[in-house]
Amino acid sequence: MSVDAATVRKIASLARIAMTEGDVDAMVPELNNILGWIEQLGEVDTAGVEPMASVIPGHQRLRADVVTDGDVRDKVLANAPQAEHGFFAVPKVIE
Amino acid sequence: MTATNLTDLGIAGIRDGFRAGTFSAREVADAFNAAVAGADALNAFIVKTPDHAIAAADAADKARADGADLGALAGVPLGIKDLFCTEGYQTTAASGMLGGFVPTYESTVTAKLFGAGAGMLGKLNLDQFAMGSSNETSAFGNVISPWRRNDSGNAPLAPGGSSGGSSAAVAARIAPGATGTDTGGSIRQPAAFTGISGIKPTYGRCSRWGTVAFASSLDQAGAMAHDVRDCAIMLEAMSGFDAKDSTSVELSVPNWEAALSADLKGKKVGIPKEYRVDGMPADIEALWQQGIAWMKDAGAEIVEVSLPHTKYALPTYYIIAPAEASSNLARYDGVRYGLRDLPDGANLQDMYAATRAAGFGAEVKRRIMIGTYVLSAGFYDAYYTKAQKVRALIARDFAQAWEKCDVLLTPTAPSAAFALGEKSADPLAMYLNDVFTVPSSLAGLPAMSVPGGLDPQGLPLGLQIIGKPFDEQGVLNASLAIEQRAGFAARPGKWW
């Protein structure tokens, strides 16, 4: 599989990264080079192999469903680029 | 002792001298702070924190004077990779995206180190978001290795990556030890490039809480220091169960330092035949053979083992790591922390895209793009699920090897340090630098690099020991056997 400029633009949009036409043109061969190299995994017979999501055997730990943290609004907001009235502020999303 | 002598000491030397009353912790902190201040040419630190080192030293001196219990690292100042969140001190992951970010919390690893009495000299430079093998992707400029080739050319060399600030600082003796993180080799490869020791423990030994995430199923913190003993001391202090990290393992931390032994009688050392890659330099092959001889000399039996899926580890890694990175780095959108780029009249979507375009460097964007592509509709199974299956086969190869041997011996990297700029134009050539470190990362295994010798250009070369899950002791002991026999004493000449 190889990607073209339209695909790169679509991926950039999914990844929420603004790209100029020049950025897109530069990215096309780079991604194709890397994806072409990755294609060699197709040689590996993985029939009947379970995908490995974690190297840690066993199951997910559970904890009691109780609040153990919180009430730190000012700490949470301390690094916000813009915070107002105790909230994160963003550009208007509803007209 | 003079300040120069103090900065020659490693972690054990400082700890023991401080306890014996040979010098004060304050003298140590002052000596290292001065060394850090005089080494700007290395660009190893993004932020210097002499106040933190001095406060910890004064607390250690007071505890000693009061006869109070001294922590395992009392009196020891450390460098902290700028991937660990440190409360009240800027943490950027070497990115523009997190420029000016000052965490309001402490990572578990640094909390443990500081709780053991260590102080912080500063935040160490790295490849941006830990993505790179050369320290050429930092938003704060390249780290320069303290080493130089013996050809009088003075070409600036890569300190390795991503923990390149850590490796440069320890090798230049401006920090006696430093934290690193290893996703695909980011502790071991820089340790090899700079002639120091570095250990990545079993996945789950060190909490990832408060560490800026790159690829969550792979990232693991570890120790970088002068020698094996110092790594054992530091790793002990960093490790342990943490309820705040769901992948942290509920196992007690052994006393690794106390059980150090270079006697390998009765141990079997595996030599994976697939690590003999095409075009491997003769120096690397010769060092590997020397390592085999050292293992035999330490009493070990050498066995050849096969890890048949080795050649697929790198392409597997470069699907899984970017996939996880694209997910982890989605949090940087200009809303809650870090950079915000809000062009005139921009809506929320425009703000996200502009912020991420401005805040991420080229390598980070490349990996996010690859990750987004392999996870996108229609390609998920062909790439991501396939890679997870191959990952299972790679882990199975190791499990089968453990039926025949106790540890594996390999080179750490396929070459000595390269010059800055030499590989940066070709992402694939750069990725191939991690060929020997990535497979054990995918399997979550403990692995360590120790210096084995010098190449003809006078640059350090490392040997890697890979161990069974949770057998850090076996890794440390085999590494100690190499260290004792290699007698590696070379140091970079001071030019900075």
Side-chain angles (χ1 to χ4, degrees), chain B residues 344-424:
Chain B
D344 279 346
N347 64 25
L348 190 62
Q349 296 293 335
D350 298 334
M351 184 191 85
Y352 293 154
T355 297
R356 290 164 64 78
F360 292 136
E363 181 62 26
V364 174
K365 285 182 201 172
R366 191 180 293 129
R367 295 200 195 187
I368 291 174
M369 291 287 287
I370 293 167
T372 304
Y373 181 75
V374 299
L375 291 177
S376 65
F379 298 111
Y380 185 95
D381 280 338
Y383 287 110
Y384 189 64
T385 306
K386 179 77 181 182
Q388 284 187 306
K389 289 180 178 181
V390 180
R391 184 177 186 180
L393 293 173
I394 290 163
R396 194 168 75 189
D397 285 353
F398 282 107
Q400 287 169 349
W402 302 137
E403 294 168 11
K404 293 184 180 163
C405 64
D406 300 289
V407 293
L408 298 167
L409 170 71
T410 80
T412 307
S415 71
F418 45 84
L420 290 167
E422 213 165 79
K423 290 181 192 283
S424 49

Side-chain angles (χ1 to χ4, degrees), chain A residues 1-3 7-12 14-19 23 27 30-31 33-35 37-46 48-57 60-61 74-82 88-93, chain B residues 100-102 104 203 217 241-242 245-250 309 311-312 314-316 318-319 334-338 340 342 346 348-349 351-353 356-357 366 368-370 372-373 379 383 385-386 388-393 395 428 431 442-444:
Chain A
M1 282 167 274
S2 71
V3 300
T7 310
V8 169
R9 275 193 289 272
K10 177 173 173 250
I11 299 295
L14 291 172
R16 308 261 186 276
I17 297 175
M19 280 198 186
D23 294 338
M27 189 69 81
E30 282 181 6
L31 288 193
N33 196 18
I34 294 165
L35 290 168
W37 171 70
I38 286 170
E39 295 288 327
Q40 61 178 297
L41 291 191
E43 300 165 14
V44 186
D45 180 4
T46 51
V49 177
E50 276 296 305
M52 183 182 204
S54 166
V55 295
I56 300 185
Q60 197 77 349
R61 249 188 342 264
D74 292 345
K75 281 188 166 191
V76 168
L77 293 175
N79 278 287
Q82 198 186 348
F88 294 110
V90 296
K92 194 162 67 172
V93 288
Chain B
F101 174 64
V102 179
T104 54
Y203 181 84
S217 79
F241 174 64
D242 179 11
D245 174 1
S246 65
T247 60
S248 170
V249 293
E250 291 189 77
H309 296 90
K311 72 172 276 206
Y312 302 108
L314 271 178
T316 299
Y318 279 99
I319 292 173
V335 174
R336 287 165 299 162
Y337 34 68
R340 168 179 290 191
L342 184 60
L348 190 62
Q349 296 293 335
M351 184 191 85
Y352 293 154
R356 290 164 64 78
R366 191 180 293 129
I368 291 174
M369 291 287 287
I370 293 167
T372 304
Y373 181 75
F379 298 111
Y383 287 110
T385 306
K386 179 77 181 182
Q388 284 187 306
K389 289 180 178 181
V390 180
R391 184 177 186 180
L393 293 173
L428 267 185
Y431 296 174
L442 287 168

Side-chain angles (χ1 to χ4, degrees), chain B residues 78-95:
Chain B
L78 297 171
I80 301 296
K81 187 177 184 179
D82 197 30
L83 204 62
F84 295 90
C85 287
T86 41
E87 187 173 2
Y89 294 94
Q90 177 183 287
T91 300
T92 66
S95 70

